[in-house]
Amino acid sequence: MSNAQDSILEYFVHAANKHDFSLNITLNVGGAMVTGTMISAKEYFSLLSEKFEGGNDISNHLSEQLKQAGEAAKGDEESPASFIHLNDAQVYCGDREPTPSEGEVLWRGKLSEVDGFFLGKISAGEATSDQEQEDQDYSSNKLNNRLDQLEENIKGLFGKENDDKDQEEKVPEEESEEDERIEEEEQESTDPSSEEEGETDEESGEETEEKEEEKEEDLEEEPEQEKEKEEKKSGQSKDSSRSKRSSNTKKTSKSSKKEE
């Protein structure tokens, strides 16, 4: 394996060590991604020494040694940089969750072992793999489909309830109409006065029809009676004229006899 270092990355590290320059950066190291904020070697040792303060004698001794290492790194600014230091570092391997997932972590690595880099930090959300994204999309679509189906079921349920209510309202109306009709039939069958009134109405109707028929017959008979009367009158007049003639003839014969 070649130990050649990226000159640009080495320049960034040298600027951080000499001028306390910090930079968000992500490194490709042996198939893993290391992301964090690049800091100087002095700051790295200073922060690391603080983690050992307040402990037993050994912890305090280590803290002092780390502070001294930071001061030595500050004084050795002109020497070539061999290590890169990161604060708030996270390591991503494939599509797994970062290690560590949270907390302030200091990281130190060899510049010669860095395969590549890009500026900026990544987070767990940005490191989601294509497969995870597809799974999330599938879950989201599935959830939306279930919500749509649930909404349709709710609408169908309310629609069915409304239909049932309408049907229930129609059934009492039909039953009430049927009950009224039955009551009317019962009253008609049990009320004798209504039957008598019906019979009386029928009799009066028949009498009226008979009277009308009699009137029509009378009207038809009147012309015939008048005709008969006229014929009788004409017959009587003829008889009277005949009798007058016969009497006149008798008188004439008597007068002739007297004259003889």
Side-chain angles (χ1 to χ4, degrees):
M1 180 181 293
S2 175
N3 292 328
Q5 299 177 173
D6 189 310
S7 59
I8 298 175
L9 184 60
E10 186 178 358
Y11 176 79
F12 289 155
V13 173
H14 184 73
N17 290 336
K18 188 175 182 179
H19 304 289
D20 290 332
F21 173 75
S22 62
L23 178 68
N24 290 334
I25 194 168
T26 300
L27 310 174
N28 297 105
V29 181
M33 287 192 299
V34 183
T35 186
T37 302
M38 185 173 62
I39 58 176
S40 65
K42 179 183 178 181
E43 185 178 0
Y44 170 80
F45 286 114
S46 177
L47 292 173
L48 189 61
S49 68
E50 291 176 0
K51 295 183 181 296
F52 291 95
E53 289 179 353
N56 53 24
D57 294 339
I58 296 175
S59 296
N60 291 328
H61 179 71
L62 288 173
S63 177
E64 290 295 328
Q65 292 295 320
L66 291 170
K67 285 181 181 179
Q68 293 176 8
E71 292 297 331
K74 179 68 175 177
D76 196 15
E77 293 175 351
E78 300 300 329
S79 61
S82 299
F83 293 90
I84 182 171
H85 305 89
L86 301 180
N87 190 20
D88 297 329
Q90 287 182 320
V91 180
Y92 290 88
C93 295
D95 57 359
R96 298 178 183 176
E97 290 293 323
T99 305
S101 58
E102 58 183 13
E104 182 178 346
V105 176
L106 295 169
W107 185 87
R108 172 183 167 96
K110 289 183 180 181
L111 280 174
S112 59
E113 298 296 330
V114 177
D115 300 320
F117 71 94
F118 61 85
L119 300 180
K121 292 172 66 175
I122 61 175
S123 63
E126 295 174 348
T128 303
S129 65
D130 293 339
Q131 184 63 36
E132 288 181 345
Q133 186 64 39
E134 290 178 0
D135 293 341
Q136 289 178 2
D137 293 340
Y138 175 76
S139 299
S140 178
N141 292 333
K142 192 173 181 180
L143 179 61
N144 290 332
N145 292 334
R146 288 182 177 178
L147 291 174
D148 293 340
Q149 185 66 33
L150 180 61
E151 185 177 357
E152 289 178 0
N153 292 337
I154 291 172
K155 288 181 179 178
L157 181 61
F158 282 118
K160 186 176 180 181
E161 287 181 354
N162 292 331
D163 293 339
D164 293 340
K165 287 182 180 178
D166 294 338
Q167 188 65 27
E168 289 177 358
E169 290 176 355
K170 289 180 180 179
V171 169
E173 290 178 358
E174 293 176 354
E175 290 180 352
S176 62
E177 292 177 357
E178 184 67 19
D179 293 339
E180 290 177 358
R181 186 179 63 80
I182 292 170
E183 288 179 358
E184 290 177 356
E185 290 178 354
E186 289 178 352
Q187 288 178 357
E188 291 177 356
S189 62
T190 55
D191 191 359
S193 61
S194 63
E195 292 181 356
E196 292 177 356
E197 289 177 357
E199 292 176 355
T200 305
D201 293 337
E202 289 179 358
E203 291 176 355
S204 61
E206 290 176 356
E207 291 177 355
T208 305
E209 289 179 357
E210 289 178 355
K211 288 180 180 180
E212 288 178 354
E213 289 177 356
E214 290 177 355
K215 286 180 180 180
E216 290 177 356
E217 290 177 355
D218 292 338
L219 292 173
E220 290 176 355
E221 289 176 354
E222 282 178 358
E224 293 180 355
Q225 291 176 356
E226 290 178 355
K227 188 177 180 180
E228 289 177 356
K229 288 179 180 179
E230 289 178 356
E231 289 178 354
K232 286 180 180 180
K233 286 180 180 179
S234 61
Q236 289 176 358
S237 62
K238 288 178 180 181
D239 292 338
S240 60
S241 62
R242 285 176 184 175
S243 61
K244 284 180 181 180
R245 286 177 183 176
S246 61
S247 61
N248 290 330
T249 304
K250 287 178 180 181
K251 285 179 180 180
T252 308
S253 62
K254 284 179 180 182
S255 63
S256 61
K257 283 180 180 181
K258 284 179 179 182
E259 288 177 359
E260 289 178 358

